[in-house]
Amino acid sequence: MARFKRILLKLSGESLMGEKQYGIDEKRLNEYAQQIKEIHELGVQIGIVIGGGNIFRGLSGASKGFDRVKGDQMGMLATVINSLGLSSALGAAGVKARILTAIRMEPIGEFYSKWKAIEAMENGEVVIMSAGTGNPFFTTDTGSSLRGIEIEADVMLKGTRVDGIYTADPEKDPTATKFDDITYDEVLRRGLKVMDLTATCMCKENNLPIIVFDMDTLGNLKKVMTGESIGTLVHN
């Protein structure tokens, strides 16, 4: 049995690069689709938000001279490209998926509304919510917090390259230790980079727990959903 009925799955754009330096690694994309299919078969209602950092990141564009608003809009479009890729991979795996976009761009995707997303999930479709919030100056972390709260998800699952939250970056600091669970207040007090500040505060204020886990290891998503203790739980 799945421990959550409805989830918001946040996927990293960078992780989609897999072994590549840029863009989408088809192998990684298909692995993600298979993992999503596994939990879909448990009857879980699934909403997904994907980042766009494998293609373009607005903030890094701004540091290179791009206008920040245009850079963020380019980043939003990058998330749409990733969403189309994941939707295609899910379709090939036999899972119905629907793309909703925060900016009008039919026929690429339907314009997002909470009610449309919930109705599609209740009908057994995986809903991929792309283009962030549709506004500049907001990250896809904030987009996923907003969508998770809107669709009344039981939890946000943040799939990353790391197997949880550590006292420091484990890729840089070998002495970093992992938290099994941690409160939002502690995350904020320690200044841990779980998500950006806006996203963290939104989840805290709306009581949306987050589980940060390693999505790049096959089978981990199902382990989280069936209650195995992997990753780090963030809660009030």
Side-chain angles (χ1 to χ4, degrees):
M1 282 289 292
R3 66 196 275 207
F4 304 110
K5 184 179 176 219
R6 180 181 296 160
I7 65 162
L8 189 288
L9 177 62
K10 166 65 168 56
L11 298 174
S12 143
E14 279 93 341
S15 289
L16 278 184
M17 287 191 288
E19 304 298 317
K20 297 186 177 182
Q21 298 301 306
Y22 179 82
I24 297 172
D25 180 340
E26 296 77 8
K27 179 174 177 285
R28 174 63 50 80
L29 190 67
N30 289 325
E31 286 172 355
Y32 277 8
Q34 286 304 320
Q35 290 202 72
I36 293 161
K37 181 180 182 177
E38 282 183 346
I39 66 163
H40 185 259
E41 288 171 348
L42 297 174
V44 181
Q45 295 179 17
I46 307 164
I48 300 175
V49 171
I50 317 179
N54 55 321
I55 298 169
F56 191 87
R57 185 182 289 283
L59 199 54
S60 62
S63 69
K64 293 169 188 163
F66 276 90
D67 173 81
R68 175 66 195 270
V69 173
K70 286 189 170 65
D72 280 355
Q73 288 169 337
M74 290 168 74
M76 290 175 213
L77 294 176
T79 72
V80 177
I81 291 171
N82 286 340
S83 298
L84 287 165
L86 183 61
S87 166
S88 176
L90 285 167
V95 178
K96 269 192 175 178
R98 181 182 299 218
I99 296 175
L100 302 180
T101 61
I103 303 162
R104 286 203 176 276
M105 53 178 81
E106 293 91 347
I108 286 171
E110 297 173 61
F111 190 53
Y112 169 83
S113 80
K114 164 184 173 158
W115 319 113
K116 202 180 285 180
I118 289 175
E119 183 182 11
M121 286 188 295
E122 287 177 342
N123 288 336
E125 292 178 72
V126 171
V127 176
I128 306 170
M129 294 165 277
S130 65
T133 67
N135 300 293
F137 301 100
F138 290 96
T139 66
T140 49
D141 279 345
T142 307
S144 53
S145 303
L146 175 64
R147 297 298 182 231
I149 293 158
E150 279 187 313
I151 65 171
E152 300 168 35
D154 302 317
V155 67
M156 183 199 299
L157 303 182
K158 186 170 164 62
T160 67
R161 295 176 297 183
V162 187
D163 64 342
I165 300 168
Y166 285 75
T167 50
D169 185 344
E171 292 175 352
K172 293 175 185 169
D173 183 353
T175 65
T177 55
K178 184 184 159 203
F179 296 100
D180 289 327
D181 76 280
I182 188 170
T183 64
Y184 281 114
D185 287 337
E186 182 81 350
V187 165
L188 294 168
R189 189 177 67 76
R190 287 174 172 263
L192 298 173
K193 299 283 185 278
V194 179
M195 299 192 296
D196 67 72
L197 196 58
T198 311
T200 305
C201 291
M202 279 184 72
C203 289
K204 173 179 158 52
E205 286 173 5
N206 292 278
N207 206 25
L208 177 66
I210 306 172
I211 297 174
V212 179
F213 72 105
D214 170 17
M215 178 77 182
D216 295 354
T217 300
L218 279 172
N220 268 2
L221 181 57
K222 188 172 183 180
K223 285 179 182 174
V224 171
M225 287 304 301
T226 52
E228 282 194 44
S229 181
I230 63 168
T232 302
L233 171 66
V234 191
H235 59 93
N236 276 327

